[in-house]
Every structure is written in C-alpha cells, then in structure tokens.
Amino acid sequence: MLNLRTISAGLICGFMLCASNLYFGLQTGWSTMGSLQSALVSYYMIGSTSNPKEIVLAQTLSVSAATMPLAGGFVGIVPALSMMGSSALVSWRSQLWWCFGLAFFGVFAAVPLRQRFLIKERLAFPSGTATAKLVCVLHGGNFGTRGEWSVLLQSFCGAFSFGLIAFFFPFIT
C-alpha cells in the first residue's frame, strides 16, 4: 500500500493541481480540492493492478498538495498584503514559516473536527462520497451502464474541447 509508485503518483498529481490552483486562484480567488481528478489521474498513473487503498493514499497526498495555495493564503491574503505595500509575508522564509505554522495548526485542529462531524454527526461530505464511489467503480464496482459512461465521456470531451478552443479564441465565450 505505502510504496514509491503510490507516493510518486500522489505527489506528481498534487504538484500539477497545486500549480493550476495557484494560477486559477490568483485570477479568481477560487481553488479546487481536485479529489475526483486526483483519484482518476492516480488510478491512471498507478495502473489497474492497484488496490483501492493505494488510490486513496495517492488521492490524499495529491489533495493535500493541491489545496496548499488556498490554505497558505497565497491566492488572497499574501498577494493582497504585498499589493498594499506590506513586507510582512513577502520573503520566501516568512512564507515558508507561515505554511509550516498553518500545517501544524491544521493537523491538531483536524482531530476534534473529525470526531465531531464525521463520527458523532455522521455527515456525508459530497466530494468524499463522490470520490469513494469513483474508486469503487474503478476497481470493479457496478455503477452505471456502458451507455451512461459513454455519455459522460462524450460530455467530458466536448467540454474539454470547448475550453481548449475558447482559450485560444477568447471571443467564443
């Protein structure tokens, strides 16, 4: 389960999503967790010989890296401070310490939140539920017919093609 190919897949996918989140976040102020994308790309990178735990581990590593621009404040707080002339978080050392501090705080804040929301209240998180369903489907679960998957694939290809064309020809949108 914990092997080099799983860790590599998660970190490579996380790096790509982190870069896209930083770019997208600086333009719009939004970012995405990318849990579905991470699970799908990790499955592709690791291969069909993987087990569901490997995909979940790679997806977790990927999402952790992908959400760092938002969690570290690099898509809102830090650029805003630098635009206002503040030099408090401009050096790379201060930004690195900022990230370590947030990560340290986040680990200890997550434990009581997990106990409260996941175990006691049994809340179902949509992104986690969808990712779990996707991992089950990738590993032989029965979810949807071949025709439904064909429509999903065609929709994805159409949306991707439109986005790619609109990138080069902005007047289309």
Side-chain angles (χ1 to χ4, degrees):
M1 181 169 76
L2 183 63
N3 54 36
L4 186 60
R5 74 179 182 165
T6 304
I7 294 171
S8 300
L11 291 178
I12 290 169
C13 185
F15 175 76
M16 291 186 301
L17 284 171
C18 180
S20 68
N21 274 343
L22 186 60
Y23 178 76
F24 185 64
L26 285 172
Q27 288 186 338
T28 64
W30 286 42
S31 69
T32 177
M33 278 183 25
S35 56
L36 286 171
Q37 299 91 327
S38 300
L40 195 57
V41 171
S42 296
Y43 179 78
Y44 176 75
M45 291 173 73
I46 294 172
S48 59
T49 59
S50 64
N51 62 26
K53 291 180 181 178
E54 285 180 312
I55 302 302
V56 170
L57 176 63
Q59 180 262 335
T60 303
L61 286 170
S62 178
V63 168
S64 298
T67 56
M68 195 58 203
L70 182 64
F74 298 125
V75 297
I77 300 167
V78 174
L81 285 173
S82 65
M83 287 175 69
M84 291 175 47
S86 174
S87 61
L89 291 172
V90 175
S91 74
W92 68 271
R93 285 186 180 156
S94 60
Q95 290 181 3
L96 188 64
W97 280 110
W98 173 257
C99 288
F100 282 141
L102 287 175
F104 184 76
F105 176 73
V107 166
F108 290 107
V111 174
L113 292 174
R114 177 186 177 272
Q115 180 69 30
R116 169 71 184 205
F117 292 117
L118 295 179
I119 296 174
K120 187 176 179 185
E121 294 185 17
R122 297 178 189 242
L123 293 178
F125 291 92
S127 62
T129 305
T131 305
K133 193 63 93 170
L134 176 66
V135 170
C136 289
V137 167
L138 291 173
H139 288 284
N142 188 11
F143 184 73
T145 64
R146 188 170 188 84
E148 290 172 341
W149 282 103
S150 175
V151 170
L152 183 64
L153 180 63
Q154 290 170 2
S155 301
F156 170 75
C157 290
F160 180 78
S161 300
F162 180 76
L164 186 64
I165 292 169
F167 179 77
F168 292 108
F169 303 104
F171 62 87
I172 291 174
T173 58

